[in-house]
Amino acid sequence: MKVNEWEELTSWLGDEGIDCYAELIWGAPGETPESFMAGYDRLADRVTRIAVYPMLLLPNTRYSERKADYGIVSVRGDRDDFEYVLATGWVSFAENQRMHRFLFWARVVAEMAVLRHVWHGLRRLAGIRQSAVLKSLDSWFGEADDPSAEPMREAMRSAVFGAGDFGAGVAFLYTDPAAKRLLRRWWTERMTPLLPPEAAPVIEEMFRYDLLTMPLVGDDAAQAEGTVAVRGEVYHVRRGVRLAHDVPAITAALRAGATPDPLPGPVTVDLYYRAHAETAVNSTNHEIIVHYLGMPLAEITENAAADAGDSYR
């Protein structure tokens, strides 16, 4: 789509209260890491949940038939009817591998909604781009001296150098008991020092809210304060959750292009989590996982009214 077309479309969807996600393809001839990142961040200004896929060479296409003209170096898998792009005239093999690491973090963290609210605070209140956050995660996990981070590193290596399966990374962040502790350490060491003092308290609370509203699995689900039925579905409930700032309200305002002044202060909310989230996590389907994120009851009702529960913020 042309830039003006998708920008107008996302603006209209936002005005109508309808969420959306986007897909990008990395590796087309003429694209460089720098130009791709600029486009990714321009899109992330309006759509934070972005799926990024590598370009594949399909038979009987222009790129496949004119590989030499585009400087394309590719390899075909043993069981595939397409080829994987290793390099082009604009991107070296090493640059392509680094970009595949970015693709891993973009899919696991942004597309799968591990982080949701904090993107808006980082961009609007601190001037920090979504791509910079994802590259920070890649760098920190790659260097972390904590043995608990090794499963995530292995998931990344497997996705980049293996079959491209990012499911292990999703499963780790959503189900491993060490995941939230590692994310908090990354945040404290890499992101907190970058935050402007006047905006830091709000952005810190947005990050805490994102971790707080991750789907409940295992012991977390067992420790929730009972279950209730909402629209025929079973939900776990955390009652009386105290927030230093009204994160849902602030996020809604930032998404709409406004910056509340002053920013809403403390609020107490009940959070609802759809039960049996393990199934959603194992599916690695972003359209399913968003139904299991924690949210206030009013948000569940609003989403259901939008279009039968299929469009979640």
Side-chain angles (χ1 to χ4, degrees):
M1 297 178 67
K2 295 180 180 179
V3 171
N4 64 314
E5 291 177 346
W6 67 254
E7 287 186 334
E8 291 174 2
L9 176 59
T10 55
S11 295
W12 177 81
L13 289 170
D15 292 342
E16 295 296 318
I18 300 174
D19 192 26
C20 63
Y21 91 104
E23 296 180 352
L24 290 176
I25 301 296
W26 153 252
E31 189 83 89
T32 66
E34 294 76 19
S35 66
F36 182 86
M37 290 298 184
Y40 178 91
D41 283 325
R42 184 168 184 173
L43 180 58
D45 284 346
R46 297 169 180 265
V47 182
T48 61
R49 196 151 51 93
I50 305 171
V52 185
Y53 303 97
M55 189 183 80
L56 304 173
L57 290 186
L58 302 181
N60 304 314
T61 61
R62 183 178 65 178
Y63 287 156
S64 179
E65 294 173 350
R66 298 177 55 188
K67 289 196 297 183
D69 295 339
Y70 297 111
I72 295 175
V73 179
S74 60
V75 62
R76 183 170 181 170
D78 294 337
R79 294 171 291 179
D80 302 320
D81 63 352
F82 54 83
E83 298 178 41
Y84 298 90
V85 176
L86 303 179
T88 70
W90 293 263
V91 178
S92 68
F93 176 77
E95 289 174 322
N96 189 46
Q97 291 301 299
R98 286 194 292 271
M99 283 299 299
H100 275 256
R101 291 173 65 111
F102 175 81
L103 267 59
F104 170 80
W105 291 101
R107 298 205 65 187
V108 171
V109 175
E111 177 192 348
M112 295 300 292
V114 173
L115 298 181
R116 294 179 294 151
H117 301 81
V118 76
W119 298 126
H120 304 283
L122 288 169
R123 185 180 69 253
R124 292 288 304 278
L125 304 178
I128 299 175
R129 294 293 197 180
Q130 190 160 310
S131 66
V133 179
L134 296 171
K135 287 188 283 187
S136 172
L137 276 163
D138 179 44
S139 173
W140 188 88
F141 270 90
E143 300 168 3
D145 56 2
D146 191 327
S148 300
E150 182 55 32
M152 195 61 179
R153 285 193 288 265
E154 178 55 36
M156 186 275 297
R157 288 192 291 265
S158 176
V160 173
F161 301 108
D165 180 13
F166 65 99
V170 175
F172 177 82
L173 290 182
Y174 274 133
T175 66
D176 195 295
K180 289 183 181 178
R181 176 177 58 79
L182 291 170
L183 287 171
R184 291 189 187 99
R185 183 180 165 191
W186 155 72
W187 178 268
T188 299
E189 294 179 6
R190 296 293 178 89
M191 300 307 301
T192 296
L194 303 179
L195 303 180
E198 66 278 7
V202 173
I203 300 174
E204 294 280 1
E205 193 69 348
M206 297 177 90
F207 175 70
R208 186 176 81 90
Y209 188 76
D210 277 346
L211 298 192
L212 186 64
T213 54
M214 290 170 69
L216 290 187
V217 298
D219 291 341
D220 287 340
Q223 294 171 10
E225 301 167 35
T227 59
V228 298
V230 180
R231 298 183 61 83
E233 299 287 347
V234 177
Y235 282 77
H236 299 288
V237 185
R238 281 177 171 163
R239 300 190 185 278
V241 177
R242 182 71 169 173
L243 302 177
H245 291 275
D246 189 343
V247 173
I250 293 171
T251 302
L254 295 177
R255 291 180 73 220
T259 303
D261 186 18
L263 293 168
V267 66
T268 299
V269 298
D270 295 338
L271 295 176
Y272 291 73
Y273 305 76
R274 191 170 175 179
H276 311 300
E278 291 83 357
T279 301
V281 171
N282 292 332
S283 75
T284 65
N285 184 320
H286 68 95
E287 294 190 48
I288 294 177
I289 200 73
V290 293
H291 292 270
Y292 292 82
L293 299 169
M295 62 190 75
L297 182 60
E299 191 170 338
I300 297 175
T301 304
E302 291 170 3
N303 290 330
D307 58 353
D310 291 332
S311 183
Y312 276 66
R313 292 189 180 91

